[in-house]
């Protein structure tokens, strides 16, 4: 019985961690695109440059993508709204499956778009988290697939296990680790640049 309970606790903390990773990633992505008119225009232009939809549809597609990105963290964090400090430890356990499910759909759609753009050789810069000089590449496909797998794991865990109350400290730890992982995903291009050979005399620059 203790082993079963321990396994259940592990699933609960995995769900919390996955919600924090996905929620943070989508929060940063949406804010970076919608924090100003210029930032959204750059994102809309990058969608048009992909060449996957008629140019006149570029802006509507950009609006839908950004709207979906806003919706994911809002839904995942909705249990926190109106809750006091005691609610923090178990808030993400009741997060609607819709949030993680929507994240999976969006991530797979983004991955498909990136793969098709790479096949066309568009060379469009990644605007996933704002302005970046890095062109869309394999690293972005891998990142999205890993995030999608994590979202699926969290979704399955939330749907197949009856989640109960958890201890505050382990839950916060799981959430904190999730946020750290999300930050690494956000700054993936910068991390790759940091460890990539640089031409003589050229310094590494943050692209965000």
């Amino acid at each position: 019985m203790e082993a079963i309970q321990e396994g259940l606790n592990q699933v609960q903390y995995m769900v919390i961690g996955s919600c924090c990773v996905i929620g943070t990633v989508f929060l940063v992505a949406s804010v970076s695109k919608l924090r100003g008119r210029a930032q959204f225009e750059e994102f809309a232009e990058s969608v048009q440059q992909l060449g996957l939809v008629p140019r006149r549809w570029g802006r509507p597609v950009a609006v839908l993508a950004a709207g979906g990105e806003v919706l994911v963290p809002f839904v995942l964090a909705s249990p926190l709204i109106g809750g006091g400090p005691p609610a923090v430890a178990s808030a993400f356990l009741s997060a609607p499956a819709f949030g993680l499910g929507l994240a999976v759909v969006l991530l797979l759609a983004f991955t498909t778009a990136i793969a098709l753009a790479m096949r066309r050789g568009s060379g469009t810069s990644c605007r996933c988290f704002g302005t970046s000089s890095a062109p869309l590449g394999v690293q972005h496909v891998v990142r999205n697939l890993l995030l999608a797998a994590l979202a699926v794991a969290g979704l399955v865990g939330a749907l197949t296990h009856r989640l109960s109350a958890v201890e505050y400290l382990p839950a916060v730890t799981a959430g904190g680790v999730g946020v750290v992982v999300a930050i690494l995903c956000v700054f993936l291009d910068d991390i790759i640049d940091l460890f990539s050979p640089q031409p003589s005399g050229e310094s590494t620059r943050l692209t965000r």
Side-chain angles (χ1 to χ4, degrees), residues 41-207:
E41 292 296 336
E42 290 176 350
F43 173 60
E45 178 63 25
S46 70
V47 172
Q48 295 171 342
Q49 291 176 357
L50 291 176
L52 302 179
V53 296
R55 190 169 183 84
R56 66 180 181 276
W57 288 102
R59 180 178 292 274
V61 170
V63 170
L64 288 175
E69 289 179 338
V70 170
L71 189 58
V72 169
F74 176 78
V75 173
L76 292 178
S78 59
L80 285 171
I81 300 176
V88 176
S90 60
F92 290 109
L93 298 182
S94 58
F98 175 71
L100 290 172
L102 176 60
V104 173
V105 173
L106 289 174
L107 286 166
L108 292 180
F110 295 158
T111 302
T112 302
I114 293 172
L116 292 175
M118 290 173 57
R119 185 175 181 180
R120 292 168 59 93
S122 67
T124 305
S125 296
C126 176
R127 302 291 181 180
C128 304
F129 301 102
T131 58
S132 173
S133 59
L136 293 172
V138 175
Q139 71 271 23
H140 302 114
V141 172
V142 173
R143 177 183 63 191
N144 285 357
L145 288 177
L146 290 176
L147 287 172
L150 181 61
V152 168
L155 177 60
V156 171
L159 291 176
T160 59
H161 292 74
R162 183 178 180 180
L163 304 177
S164 58
V166 295
E167 296 182 12
Y168 183 85
L169 183 58
V172 172
T173 301
V177 171
V179 172
V180 171
V181 172
I183 292 174
L184 294 176
C185 291
V186 169
F187 289 99
L188 176 64
D189 290 335
D190 295 323
I191 294 173
I192 292 176
D193 287 343
L194 183 64
F195 291 99
S196 297
Q198 298 292 324
S200 178
E202 182 178 339
S203 59
T204 301
R205 299 180 297 114
L206 288 178
T207 57

Side-chain angles (χ1 to χ4, degrees), residues 22-35:
I22 300 301
T24 303
V25 166
F26 275 86
L27 177 63
V28 175
S30 59
V31 170
S32 68
K33 296 178 179 68
L34 301 176
R35 70 179 186 271

